[in-house]
Amino acid sequence: MGDKTHTHPGAAGRAPAADHPTSVRNVVLVGHSGSGKTTLVEALALTAGAVNRAGRVEDGGTVSDYDDIEHRQQRSVQLSLVPVEWDGIKVNLLDTPGYADFVGELRAGLRAADAALFVVSAADGVDGSTRMVWEECAAVGMPRALVITHLEAARADFEETTRVCAEAFGADDPDAVLPLYLPLHGAQGPDGHAPVTGLIGLLTQRLFDYASGERTESEPGPEQLPLIEEARNRLIEGIIAESEDETLMDRYLGGERIDVKTLIGDLERAVARGSFFPVLAAAPAADGARQGLGTVELLELITGGFPTPPERVAPTVTTPEGRERALKTCDPDGPLVAEVVKTASDPYVGRVSLVRVFSGTLRPDETVHVSGHGLTDRGHEDHDVDERIGALSTPFGKQQRPVTHCVAGDLACVAKLNRAETGDTLSAKDDPLLMEAWRMPDPLLPVAIQAHSKADEDKLSQGLARLVAEDPTMRLEQNQHTHQVVLWCLGEAHADVALERLRSRYGVQVDTVPHRVSLRETFAERSAGRGRHVKQSGGHGQFAICEIEVEPLPGGSGIEFVDKVVGGAVPRQFIPSVEKGVRAQAARGVVAGYPLVDVRVTLLDGKAHSVDSSDAAFQTAGALALREAAAGARIHLLEPVAEVSVLVGDDFVGAVMSDLSGRRGRVLGTEQMAGGGRGGGRTVVRAEVPEIEIGRYAVDLRSLSHGTARFDRVYARHEPMPAQVAERLRAEEREAS
């Protein structure tokens, strides 16, 4: 690496294509918002020759139209694909949003890629969310490299940023995170800042100067060699330590000069195995320049040091019935297995699906089987259907360039898959298969919505269905207890984008309303009630009297109805009518309008009339009796309680526990997690917290922990709400009405 000259990169104006898995590299760019990922992708595309006829680089490609939302949000909110060509290799650059609300797009990029490029700003360093993604990649052995950007910033320091990266990502071996190049600084300006104008290759000991706008190569001066000697020796020792040749270290320590090609070969193997993580530097091209600093070196690493698709272990494949199916890795002639990693809508061609092919070859116009994972709990349709593949294309700027096929290991966009959703598997219709599901975070921020007008109400259902089909991190809930439509999102920005897409893409305007939790009512003590429904208004009258006793039951008991009538005071045929009336009133509530639960209602006595008694009359009497019993008893308002598990860095454990206590939570305990490494330990805090107190916890926890914590929640039970909280809630409801 660093010893090649490229005079003929990818042909300008032509979408790159691949005919074999070994000629593909799939790379996902990861980093916090503002680290420079999108700018870097554009710089790589420019260097690789992805320019239009006017000589300007095309806008980054995506599977849908470029979103006006991104311009309004001033940040990326979706996964985008930019394919470029370098040395005959197709490089699929997957640019991901850096903001935590759009981690679903990041996970899609990780699923589609075979290696990750972590983009770190020299001005901002490494944040907690980037560390968490690094740990995810480490858990699955994904090869990684780092590129340091924003070297032009006044406070930028390449050496210090590299040291921070080694501490954050090196775990117990900081020598696994080392630079391949050192920056070459130009003349110091009036502000004392010396801009980076080139790079010195530590292995090749060559100087690559970008000051002219074109990359030129030369020998370093004698004054520069001593500056790189220590860094070069450390790099060589780090590479050799990861080498499979056990004798290589002895030869090196014995004073033998190791051939540069041998070192580069060992470096490439160590990177592909995910055991060594080189650090590079990059900066966009200056105005009028064709090559950005470090872009050639980065493309060389990607094409030479990152693994080919056949080198990566594919996810597990089963039949739809769950029987595991062994497949040859990334075989273009094997059974078709492809996965929808992103679904979007294009205003001109409709639904567009970004697909990664893991086996076989995908071709237009063929009929495939679509297998889903049945995410019905998130509002997604459960399906197992056949669909016809529409046109295949690859993004080239804002355009989609048609392609004739997509081989195993490659990515392509498929038009008009009407049923397939993100995460679904495409396979041969006569040999249906299903890929192992990829882990997506649970959406934990509820946003209750209602249609803005009658016209919007007619379109709301279809618009929401299409929205959740695109985004598996979103859950749609039709709450039967509160009668609210709730979109569960990952955060406020995620919710904003979802509602904006409803409006701009699907023409549905909605209003947000306060989210209500599913409260209940119950009797706190035994009570009795008499229901008397006697009316005479010409013709048949209405006559029914019943006497009941109500007593509380343990949580989760529901409504129990007991008949203890003796002597036929209430005729047998009307006892079910009393029960029906009691249950109907319980469903409506007896004090605040919330369902009544966990009581035993015993029918003790009553009266009937031979002519005027009826089913309807005794239903009414049963309801009246329950209301009278409630009027003479203490009624508890029951609130749902969730069991919450918070995974948080040790530095924030105290703050999290204090915050949970302030939310009326009961901390159940803590558990230290293994593998904290140099980034600090992690602790799981478990607590029980009323759900009414954690509606915005997804947002508040992110702020409290600086984006480094995550949590899960599961319903535990309903329990009595403190009287003062219940009174405050009723007061708020009266004020709202």
Side-chain angles (χ1 to χ4, degrees):
M1 297 175 193
D3 57 347
K4 303 174 185 176
T5 301
H6 297 273
T7 55
H8 300 288
R14 178 170 64 86
D19 290 317
H20 194 272
T22 56
S23 61
V24 178
R25 303 293 184 274
N26 298 307
V27 182
V28 60
L29 282 82
V30 176
H32 67 80
S33 186
S35 60
K37 297 183 298 298
T38 302
T39 301
L40 178 59
V41 167
E42 292 172 350
L44 292 171
L46 181 60
T47 295
V51 295
N52 60 25
R53 292 183 179 179
R56 292 181 287 106
V57 64
E58 293 275 4
D59 289 334
T62 175
V63 298
S64 68
D65 60 307
Y66 237 63
D67 237 319
D68 289 340
I69 299 172
E70 294 195 322
H71 296 294
R72 286 193 290 275
Q73 294 258 339
Q74 292 296 301
R75 59 183 165 218
S76 298
V77 301
Q78 62 183 352
L79 175 72
S80 62
L81 168 64
V82 178
V84 301
E85 188 174 340
W86 188 258
D87 257 6
I89 301 294
K90 180 184 180 184
V91 179
N92 289 316
L93 298 171
L94 293 151
D95 185 15
T96 63
Y99 194 60
D101 276 20
F102 308 106
V103 68
E105 304 287 324
L106 167 63
R107 295 279 173 83
L110 292 174
R111 179 70 162 203
D114 302 308
L117 186 62
F118 279 72
V119 183
V120 178
S121 167
D124 301 321
V126 179
D127 71 339
S129 59
T130 304
R131 293 174 192 247
M132 293 170 69
V133 179
W134 182 276
E135 291 171 7
E136 285 188 37
C137 292
V140 297
M142 177 174 279
R144 284 147 283 160
L146 298 100
V147 57
I148 296 175
T149 59
H150 294 163
L151 293 170
E152 72 283 359
R155 64 181 185 277
D157 187 329
F158 178 85
E159 288 77 12
E160 174 62 17
T161 306
T162 302
R163 184 192 66 78
V164 169
C165 289
E167 284 193 355
F169 305 134
D172 296 324
D173 185 11
D175 285 341
V177 181
L178 293 171
L180 293 184
Y181 301 87
L182 292 184
L184 179 68
H185 294 274
Q188 197 174 77
D191 59 355
H193 178 65
V196 177
T197 58
L199 300 170
I200 302 175
L202 293 179
L203 293 182
T204 60
Q205 294 181 289
R206 301 288 290 173
L207 190 152
F208 306 101
D209 193 348
Y210 285 84
S212 66
E214 294 283 342
R215 180 181 187 255
T216 60
E217 182 178 345
S218 63
E219 294 278 353
E223 74 283 358
Q224 293 163 332
L225 287 175
L227 300 177
I228 68 172
E229 183 176 359
E230 181 181 351
R232 184 174 191 270
N233 289 339
R234 189 179 176 195
L235 173 63
I236 291 174
E237 290 176 11
I239 292 172
I240 293 175
E242 301 297 336
S243 171
E244 296 177 344
D245 187 350
E246 296 179 358
T247 66
L248 198 59
M249 182 64 80
D250 293 335
R251 291 163 52 197
Y252 174 72
L253 295 177
E256 181 178 338
R257 183 179 180 85
I258 307 300
D259 181 73
V260 170
K261 288 186 177 180
T262 301
L263 292 172
I264 290 176
D266 286 341
L267 169 65
E268 292 173 350
R269 282 190 293 274
V271 171
R273 288 202 312 271
S275 58
F276 187 80
F277 316 107
V279 181
L280 296 91
D287 290 344
R290 184 180 167 279
Q291 293 178 334
L293 182 141
T295 52
V296 170
E297 289 75 15
L298 198 48
L299 287 165
E300 288 178 356
L301 174 68
I302 290 171
T303 54
F306 279 1
T308 64
E311 293 177 80
R312 298 291 296 151
V313 177
T316 301
V317 176
T318 66
T319 65
E321 296 77 29
R323 295 190 303 273
E324 191 165 337
R325 177 77 175 274
L327 296 177
K328 185 178 177 182
T329 302
C330 211
D331 180 8
D333 299 319
L336 177 65
V337 180
E339 186 172 43
V340 179
V341 294
K342 179 174 173 59
T343 310
S345 295
D346 186 281
Y348 304 107
V349 300
R351 182 180 287 191
V352 179
S353 304
L354 178 62
V355 173
R356 161 78 191 251
V357 181
F358 287 89
S359 173
T361 300
L362 189 66
R363 292 182 171 85
D365 300 323
E366 65 180 341
T367 300
V368 300
H369 187 79
V370 179
S371 299
H373 289 282
L375 296 176
T376 51
D377 62 328
R378 293 198 177 186
H380 294 254
E381 180 184 7
D382 191 7
H383 50 264
D384 202 26
V385 297
D386 291 341
E387 276 209 81
R388 182 174 171 273
I389 296 292
L392 294 184
S393 62
T394 187
F396 191 78
K398 293 184 179 181
Q399 303 175 13
Q400 293 286 339
R401 300 288 175 89
V403 294
T404 58
H405 61 280
C406 181
V407 298
D410 202 1
L411 293 157
C413 295
V414 182
K416 297 181 179 178
L417 282 176
N418 296 320
R419 299 289 296 279
E421 299 182 356
T422 301
D424 285 355
T425 303
L426 309 182
S427 55
K429 67 175 183 177
D430 55 352
D431 187 14
L433 298 169
L434 180 63
M435 296 194 70
E436 179 184 19
W438 29 304
R439 189 171 65 88
M440 297 297 272
D442 287 327
L444 296 169
L445 179 69
V447 181
I449 59 173
Q450 62 185 23
H452 183 71
S453 67
K454 180 63 171 68
D456 294 310
E457 189 173 339
D458 295 338
K459 298 181 290 184
L460 181 60
S461 179
Q462 183 180 7
L464 289 174
R466 295 173 70 179
L467 197 66
V468 297
E470 295 179 11
D471 189 352
T473 64
M474 188 175 296
R475 176 163 61 91
L476 175 62
E477 176 192 9
Q478 305 270 0
N479 193 300
Q480 60 180 343
H481 300 296
T482 63
H483 308 292
Q484 286 190 314
V485 176
V486 183
L487 275 178
W488 288 84
C489 304
L490 295 174
E492 289 179 313
H494 190 209
D496 289 345
V497 167
L499 299 184
E500 177 62 19
R501 282 179 176 159
L502 267 181
R503 184 193 64 78
S504 60
R505 288 186 179 178
Y506 308 125
V508 182
Q509 183 77 35
V510 297
D511 300 319
T512 59
V513 295
H515 176 249
R516 298 196 299 268
V517 300
S518 300
L519 300 179
R520 305 281 189 271
E521 299 172 356
T522 195
F523 278 62
E525 59 192 2
R526 188 185 298 263
S527 183
R530 185 172 189 266
R532 185 178 185 276
H533 183 61
V534 178
K535 288 189 177 181
Q536 190 68 43
S537 55
H540 280 300
Q542 300 180 54
F543 187 97
I545 298 174
C546 63
E547 296 181 6
I548 64 171
E549 183 180 71
V550 184
E551 58 186 311
L553 291 177
S557 299
I559 301 290
E560 182 180 324
F561 185 84
V562 178
D563 168 25
K564 285 191 177 181
V565 174
V566 294
V570 177
R572 292 287 95 191
Q573 70 268 29
F574 295 135
I575 289 175
S577 304
V578 176
E579 180 178 0
K580 190 173 182 180
V582 165
R583 291 188 180 276
Q585 185 62 54
R588 294 191 295 269
V590 292
V591 173
Y594 301 110
L596 179 72
V597 295
D598 304 334
V599 294
R600 177 184 292 123
V601 179
T602 303
L603 177 60
L604 300 173
D605 201 359
K607 291 182 181 179
H609 189 278
S610 59
V611 175
D612 293 340
S613 290
S614 64
D615 169 63
F618 270 99
Q619 283 191 47
T620 302
L624 291 171
L626 184 61
R627 282 155 55 183
E628 182 177 288
R634 287 186 297 115
I635 302 298
H636 277 161
L637 204 57
L638 300 178
E639 61 181 338
V641 174
E643 186 173 318
V644 174
S645 297
V646 184
L647 177 62
V648 62
D650 289 347
D651 292 345
F652 298 103
V653 169
V656 165
M657 293 175 67
S658 176
D659 179 71
L660 290 172
S661 297
R663 297 172 186 269
R664 298 190 286 123
R666 295 183 296 274
V667 175
L668 304 178
T670 62
E671 179 184 350
Q672 188 71 33
M673 302 300 291
R678 288 174 171 259
R682 295 284 184 85
T683 296
V684 174
V685 180
R686 292 188 171 86
E688 291 182 344
V689 192
E691 289 188 6
I692 202 169
E693 302 287 352
I694 53 173
R696 288 182 48 83
Y697 194 55
V699 177
D700 298 339
L701 179 63
R702 184 178 299 162
S703 175
L704 181 68
S705 66
H706 299 179
T708 63
R710 59 177 180 264
F711 80 105
D712 298 311
R713 56 182 278 185
V714 293
Y715 169 78
R717 63 187 172 278
H718 274 73
E719 64 180 36
M721 178 183 284
Q724 67 274 20
V725 179
E727 182 54 40
R728 185 176 72 240
L729 180 65
R730 292 192 186 104
E732 290 173 354
E733 290 180 344
R734 286 194 296 269
E735 184 177 334
S737 61

